[in-house]
Amino acid sequence: MQYILLGTVMFFIGRSILLGDTPSNADYFAQILIYTIVALGLNLLLGFSGLVSLATAAFMGISTYGMHILMENYEVNYFLAALIVLIFAGGLGLLVGVLSLKMQGIYLAIATLFVAHVIGELFRSFEAFNYGESARISEITFFGETSLSGYAQDDRIYLMGIVAIGLILAFVVIHNIVKSPSGRAFMAISRSYHAALAMGISVRRYRLLAFMIATIFAAFGGILYLTYMQSTGSVDRNWNLELSLILLAIVVVGGMKSLPGMLLGAAIIIGIPEFFFTPFEEFLQGFGPLENISLRGFDDIFTGLLIILTILFYPYGAIRIISRLKHTVQSKFQNKPSKGGDAA
Amino acid sequence: MSENVLSVKDLSMSFGGLKAVDSLSFHIKGKEILGLIGPNGAGKTTVFNCITQFYKNYEGIVILQGANKDKDLREVPVHKIIDYGIARTFQNLELIPDTSVMDNVLIGAHKDVKSNIIHHILQFPSLKRNEKRLKEKAERILAFLGIDHLKDAYVHGQPYGIMKLIEIGRALMGDPSLLILDEPAAGLNEKETKHLEGIVKKINEEYETAILLIEHNMGFVMDLCNTVIAINFGRFLAQGTPKEVQNNKAVQEAYLGEAES
Amino acid sequence: MDISTIIQILFNSLRTGSIVALAGLGIVLIYRTSKATNFAQGSIGTINAFVAGYIAHATGLSIWTSTLIALGTAFLTGVIIDKLFIRPAGRTASPVNKQILTLGIILILTGIMNMNIGILGDLFTPRYPEQFISSSERVMILGRNIQWNTIFIVALSIFLLSAIFLFIQKTRWGLAIRVTASNETAARLMGVPTKTVTMIAWAVAAMLGTIAGIALAPRAPAGLNPGLLIGTQVSAFFAAVFGGFQSFFGPVFAAYIIGFLLSAGRYGMSSYFGQPSIIADLIIYLVILIILYFKPFGIFGKAPERKV
């Protein structure tokens, strides 16, 4: 399928970054891929079911610390640890969802705000979580034989491969859901709530399902983060409300209900600040009077503005702009009137 | 006419202090087309919402008469009503604009989808077979309605009359024994209205479905309905054949100034 | 437990409750008139609190004067956000999209608060602003030395909340607010200037949030920083839901109840159980969620009957 092609292309891009001049850029590239995976799950919740979650980053953090504790303190095998973390995430999603989804969708947003806040504080308070500070893991051992560490460059290429495989998996799963009766049900509850009920769709059950899937995808993203970066990340700098908002931005700006849009959104929101703002800041610092200038804060402003512009002017997201461009170019070639009338 | 399909007894519904429906009683017989008429604000859609259980705190009872036993519909959650063979359309169209007509109609078959999300993720072969079956059924229904050429088009941007047909198509996917139509002809021009009349008649005859409808278009009501019930201020006014109700003095007074035939 | 501890918890509760009530009333005002869930309430309050803190620090003006100036910028902030972002989205965007809009505003405000260019770097340097009344001014109540500042904050909040309550209940503009809140289309048809009403709602909410921030900052663990009001906002949202989004003052009462539960709970958790106080927050909020599961419209609220 086309996703295997996409995943392979992504892998080779990542590999070439690792072998190139600035291998540290590969970290940001891996982040783009990982956030795409999380965004795919969040898309099911926000784009298809119309619900906001503010705890996505918190669930990523839970899974990185969970993996760390299981692997370092209890010496659990990598795959088993991943499985435990995913099941735990699903269970937590179920609990939070059941408590909050009884009535209006706004409750989920408030409940996830609370979950994110409390989890952050909890991690900062206990030594088991390194008081919220980042913690590294020693190398990952597969099947008792191969072990991959984040230090050897060859190993990191394999780790990038693992992330790419994760990306393919995520795309395939969400694609299958969206094209199925479940996908239709998700769309119905966000766009035609009463009709959905009248046609036999249990809105509560599907909202719960969407939230659980989003949570599991967030945990999956966290597992891959830990795998590639070989560190849990820190509660303050990584798994905070800001990241949850950035992930929502990726879904919105990329294009709600579009799958390839998630990769586009991640590339825009993570890629542009990292690959444009930072060099631009250095460029500015080259000029005498500006040598201490800092563009800190601009990435958030950039992301926030994109969200607002998208909601107000391009609600279908960047992916629609690109497909419109494609249509216009195609129809100019074929001399047919271009109309956005047909569903793909 | 066969025996009753649905009975409504002493139905009352209040919002705040306002009584929208006041002790209304009627029944629908099998394969009958029953029209509910009344001036604007007479409480007709409220009656529908009570019957289909979107409102639960009404007074009175709504009973579905089955082959074996009767069922008090208040015990049924709103999303299970379709399991009892009752399907409805909405006054304010509730379609998904940015999806195809086919996908919108397929939603009507949701209750017949036996697979769960795990099957969907793993793409079991049974899923493919069932999807094919449902799509063929949807195509038949769309052809019946005369809009199968639009099956892959987006709903967004379709003419209003077409969207009304799509909603009806969606309701038919569940093989209802009772079809509830809320102002199906609203906003339609003459040609579209005549077409819809033919469709409703065909549905009643070929699918043997009882039909309960709200309509303001008197010509539509006169041509189609076996029985008409007129209400005003939520209260019963008259019942009978369309001609009888049209000639009823109380009904004429209620409609004074709203003549439309 | 001796009486002086009870007094301490009592005044802590009133102080916390007051701050949450101010933030919560802002949220409900916006929700009911503008039909938008304002997740940016905390950020708006924080950024204007920074203004007050900086002015007091850099110019030597008293915190009172600085606060007044910050209220002015808060007013402007509310008006700008409503006119520039919320109103234009009013017709085209769904409720979810308006929520996302406010999330975008959080990011923009957070970005601004992190900026380090020229004067902005000084403006947004985390600091501990002075209290309204110096912390050395205290009064002995039943064995406990209570700061006058705490009493002032509580009194100020109750005064503001009462004033707004009377305004909404007794004045013509208050009537306009109530009518817009219950049905904006009908209100517009009746000639109510709904655009002005929502603008005022946003402006007032911004000002309430700012006062909450300025009151909270001097004794907050990290002082005046971009995340100052996040914890308060969580409590404020819970207060809004718990007290019932359908009324203006159910949430205010709920805010004080939550303030009491949090103060008492945290004290008990750290003194009696020796655990971090966040566990108290967790338990209390979980209990509220469970209560909400059975009473989804809050303890004071009623279910709105929606037209299908």
Side-chain angles (χ1 to χ4, degrees):
Chain A
M1 230 177 312
Q2 69 266 36
Y3 299 121
I4 299 184
L5 182 64
L6 182 67
T8 320
V9 166
M10 289 297 122
F11 167 66
F12 278 108
I13 297 180
R15 183 173 171 277
S16 57
I17 297 182
L18 275 172
L19 296 174
D21 292 330
T22 18
S24 59
N25 277 342
D27 282 2
Y28 296 113
F29 185 74
Q31 262 180 38
I32 290 180
L33 297 184
I34 291 174
Y35 291 163
T36 303
I37 293 172
V38 177
L40 280 168
L42 198 54
N43 196 0
L44 200 61
L45 185 67
L46 178 65
F48 285 91
S49 312
L51 296 168
V52 168
S53 164
L54 294 169
T56 322
F59 284 117
M60 288 182 78
I62 291 180
S63 78
T64 62
Y65 279 100
M67 289 286 281
H68 178 266
I69 291 177
L70 286 172
M71 284 170 64
E72 298 293 306
N73 298 3
Y74 295 99
E75 301 191 355
V76 176
N77 155 278
Y78 173 78
F79 289 107
L80 184 58
L83 190 62
I84 295 177
V85 163
L86 286 176
I87 294 179
F88 180 75
L92 200 54
L94 181 64
L95 176 66
V96 175
V98 163
L99 285 180
S100 1
L101 286 168
K102 190 167 187 201
M103 277 292 160
Q104 308 153 54
I106 178 61
Y107 281 39
L108 183 68
I110 296 172
T112 53
L113 184 65
F114 142 69
V115 166
H117 174 69
V118 164
I119 285 177
E121 289 294 315
L122 271 174
F123 279 22
R124 273 186 276 263
S125 310
F126 286 103
E127 195 208 334
F129 303 110
N130 207 23
Y131 298 112
E133 287 303 312
S134 183
R136 294 200 66 85
I137 56 169
S138 45
E139 47 194 25
I140 302 178
T141 317
F142 297 103
F143 311 118
E145 294 185 7
T146 359
S147 63
L148 296 172
S149 109
Y151 298 111
Q153 192 182 50
D154 282 348
D155 284 2
R156 294 181 82 202
I157 294 182
Y158 284 114
L159 291 174
M160 178 71 73
I162 295 180
V163 173
I165 292 178
L167 185 70
I168 297 175
L169 210 60
F171 266 114
V172 169
V173 169
I174 294 291
H175 174 93
N176 286 351
I177 292 178
V178 164
K179 290 287 178 216
S180 73
S182 294
R184 293 196 293 264
F186 284 127
M187 275 203 281
I189 69 179
S190 80
R191 299 282 187 278
S192 53
Y193 172 85
H194 297 123
L197 286 172
M199 294 299 123
I201 297 173
S202 166
V203 170
R204 256 182 86 194
R205 182 196 306 169
Y206 275 91
R207 282 180 168 170
L208 191 57
L209 209 50
F211 183 59
M212 282 174 68
I213 293 175
T215 304
I216 293 175
F217 268 70
F220 186 53
I223 292 172
L224 287 173
Y225 180 93
L226 180 91
T227 306
Y228 184 82
M229 307 290 259
Q230 307 250 312
S231 133
T232 59
S234 100
V235 164
D236 284 324
R237 273 172 297 114
N238 299 98
W239 316 123
N240 50 29
L241 181 64
E242 187 190 345
L243 177 61
S244 292
L245 295 180
I246 289 176
L247 288 164
L248 287 173
I250 292 177
V251 174
V252 171
V253 172
M256 298 201 252
K257 286 168 56 177
S258 153
L259 272 59
M262 299 301 98
L263 185 56
L264 181 61
I268 294 176
I269 296 211
I270 306 293
I272 292 187
E274 209 39 64
F275 296 118
F276 285 99
F277 287 10
T278 311
F280 185 61
E281 184 185 56
E282 286 170 13
F283 170 73
L284 287 179
Q285 284 171 346
F287 297 107
L290 292 175
E291 72 183 337
N292 282 324
I293 196 170
S294 154
L295 288 183
R296 205 179 66 183
F298 273 71
D299 47 353
D300 279 345
I301 298 178
F302 170 71
T303 308
L305 273 177
L306 276 182
I307 291 180
I308 293 179
L309 287 173
T310 307
I311 296 277
L312 287 180
F313 302 115
Y314 298 104
Y316 289 111
I319 197 76
R320 176 62 75 95
I321 298 179
I322 298 218
S323 78
R324 278 251 177 86
L325 275 171
K326 244 177 37 179
H327 257 144
T328 326
V329 166
Q330 272 177 352
S331 65
K332 286 257 188 309
F333 256 117
Q334 295 161 354
N335 249 323
K336 270 200 310 226
S338 81
K339 271 185 79 166
D342 276 8
Chain B
M1 290 290 161
S2 39
E3 353 63 50
N4 293 343
V5 164
L6 187 84
S7 292
V8 173
K9 291 198 178 78
D10 296 322
L11 180 69
S12 296
M13 179 73 190
S14 306
F15 295 103
L18 188 68
K19 229 183 171 102
V21 180
D22 198 348
S23 292
L24 194 61
S25 299
F26 65 92
H27 49 256
I28 307 171
K29 301 202 198 42
K31 298 188 224 168
E32 174 178 39
I33 302 183
L34 183 91
L36 188 63
I37 67 171
N40 271 318
K44 308 187 289 293
T45 300
T46 309
V47 171
F48 274 18
N49 289 339
C50 292
I51 292 176
T52 51
Q53 302 305 308
F54 276 91
Y55 298 152
K56 280 287 188 197
N57 37 347
Y58 53 83
E59 289 157 37
I61 39 175
V62 178
I63 298 187
L64 185 70
Q65 263 113 2
N68 311 337
K69 41 183 245 186
D70 300 344
K71 182 78 182 168
D72 179 357
L73 287 184
R74 198 197 299 266
E75 298 166 6
V76 179
V78 56
H79 69 276
K80 291 221 188 295
I81 285 290
I82 195 167
D83 291 335
Y84 287 83
I86 302 177
R88 70 170 288 181
T89 64
F90 293 86
Q91 191 176 22
N92 309 319
L93 287 171
E94 291 231 355
L95 292 170
I96 305 174
D98 41 352
T99 311
S100 68
V101 171
M102 168 63 77
D103 278 342
N104 269 278
V105 170
L106 283 175
I107 287 175
H110 184 87
K111 72 168 171 44
D112 293 326
V113 171
K114 298 298 173 209
S115 49
N116 61 35
I117 194 152
I118 304 288
H119 295 138
H120 300 157
I121 293 177
L122 298 175
Q123 291 278 297
F124 277 21
S126 58
L127 174 65
K128 280 211 170 81
R129 269 182 278 126
N130 286 331
E131 285 282 280
K132 189 154 173 289
R133 215 172 23 90
L134 286 178
K135 286 201 173 128
E136 284 166 2
K137 181 177 184 183
E139 279 175 26
R140 277 198 303 270
I141 291 179
L142 287 173
F144 174 83
L145 295 168
I147 52 175
D148 58 320
H149 58 288
L150 291 171
K151 67 178 190 295
D152 290 322
Y154 268 101
V155 164
H156 173 71
Q158 296 298 334
Y160 194 67
I162 301 281
M163 293 207 271
K164 292 241 139 177
L165 288 175
I166 299 172
E167 262 220 346
I168 293 179
R170 180 178 67 190
L172 286 175
M173 281 293 280
D175 303 313
S177 49
L178 170 61
L179 185 61
I180 299 183
L181 303 173
D182 196 341
E183 297 200 31
L188 298 187
N189 61 36
E190 258 202 68
K191 193 174 110 178
E192 291 168 330
T193 308
K194 272 276 170 283
H195 177 65
L196 184 65
E197 268 187 47
I199 298 277
V200 174
K201 200 170 245 145
K202 265 206 301 181
I203 293 176
N204 179 245
E205 286 163 6
E206 288 183 30
Y207 287 86
E208 299 194 333
T209 314
I211 299 182
L212 170 64
L213 56 88
I214 291 174
E215 211 15 88
H216 284 286
N217 185 325
M218 282 307 138
F220 190 83
V221 171
M222 298 285 282
D223 288 343
L224 278 178
C225 300
N226 309 115
T227 313
V228 170
I229 295 180
I231 69 174
N232 198 10
F233 300 121
R235 259 179 256 124
F236 178 87
L237 266 189
Q239 172 170 349
T241 67
K243 261 244 166 329
E244 288 167 3
V245 171
Q246 192 184 38
N247 292 332
N248 180 296
K249 276 273 180 285
V251 173
Q252 287 172 347
E253 275 170 23
Y255 269 102
L256 208 59
E258 284 205 40
E260 183 188 14
S261 61
Chain C
M1 186 182 309
D2 56 344
I3 202 148
S4 81
T5 318
I6 296 182
I7 294 292
Q8 178 193 21
I9 296 179
L10 177 66
F11 275 92
N12 251 333
S13 312
L14 288 172
R15 181 171 167 270
T16 309
S18 297
I19 293 175
V20 172
L22 291 173
L25 182 59
I27 290 175
V28 175
L29 264 174
I30 291 177
Y31 180 80
R32 296 205 65 207
T33 55
S34 195
K35 298 289 178 276
T37 316
N38 182 20
F39 287 111
Q41 175 71 4
S43 307
I44 298 173
T46 308
I47 199 172
N48 287 294
F50 263 114
V51 170
Y54 174 71
I55 290 181
H57 165 85
T59 67
L61 286 173
S62 80
I63 190 71
W64 299 81
T65 326
S66 312
T67 303
L68 281 174
I69 298 178
L71 285 179
T73 58
F75 184 89
L76 279 172
T77 315
V79 169
I80 291 176
I81 291 180
D82 180 41
K83 286 259 172 266
L84 211 54
F85 302 122
I86 307 295
R87 264 286 149 188
R91 251 143 285 131
T92 55
S94 64
V96 177
N97 284 359
K98 282 206 259 188
Q99 286 174 28
I100 298 174
L101 215 54
T102 65
L103 295 176
I105 293 174
I106 296 182
L107 278 177
I108 294 181
L109 293 176
T110 308
I112 296 177
M113 287 192 273
N114 275 323
M115 275 168 71
N116 201 1
I117 296 186
I119 194 174
L120 290 174
D122 299 326
L123 178 55
F124 294 119
T125 308
R127 57 172 56 92
Y128 290 92
E130 10 159 334
Q131 304 192 149
F132 292 113
I133 301 176
S134 158
S135 56
S136 53
E137 307 279 340
R138 292 164 184 260
V139 61
M140 184 71 76
I141 299 183
L142 293 179
R144 198 83 205 188
N145 234 345
I146 301 293
Q147 293 190 25
W148 272 112
N149 192 55
T150 305
I151 299 178
F152 171 70
I153 291 176
V154 177
L156 176 67
S157 304
I158 294 183
F159 169 71
L160 285 172
L161 294 167
S162 313
I164 295 179
F165 178 75
L166 285 171
F167 179 81
I168 290 182
Q169 293 297 117
K170 304 275 185 203
T171 69
R172 278 191 65 207
W173 275 108
L175 180 62
I177 291 176
R178 274 182 287 138
V179 173
T180 311
S182 81
N183 189 333
E184 180 171 359
T185 325
R188 227 176 315 143
L189 290 174
M190 289 199 277
V192 173
T194 55
K195 291 206 172 117
T196 320
V197 167
T198 59
M199 191 186 83
I200 292 183
W202 276 89
V204 169
M207 294 194 286
L208 290 173
T210 305
I211 296 178
I214 299 175
L216 184 64
R219 281 163 61 179
L224 190 50
N225 71 93
L228 173 71
L229 284 173
I230 290 187
T232 306
Q233 186 165 288
V234 175
S235 308
F237 269 110
F238 268 84
V241 172
F242 198 45
F245 260 109
Q246 297 308 311
S247 76
F248 283 114
F249 280 87
V252 168
F253 291 122
Y256 281 100
I257 295 176
I258 290 180
F260 169 70
L261 288 173
L262 286 177
S263 292
R266 286 171 184 164
Y267 176 82
M269 191 54 64
S270 51
S271 304
Y272 285 129
F273 295 103
Q275 296 291 334
S277 53
I278 187 66
I279 306 247
D281 288 34
L282 174 62
I283 297 177
I284 291 170
Y285 286 132
L286 264 179
V287 169
I288 294 181
L289 275 177
I290 293 177
I291 297 179
L292 284 172
Y293 182 82
F294 293 107
K295 285 199 123 289
F297 293 101
I299 48 180
F300 299 120
K302 288 176 312 177
E305 204 67 81
R306 288 187 304 173
K307 282 273 180 180
V308 177

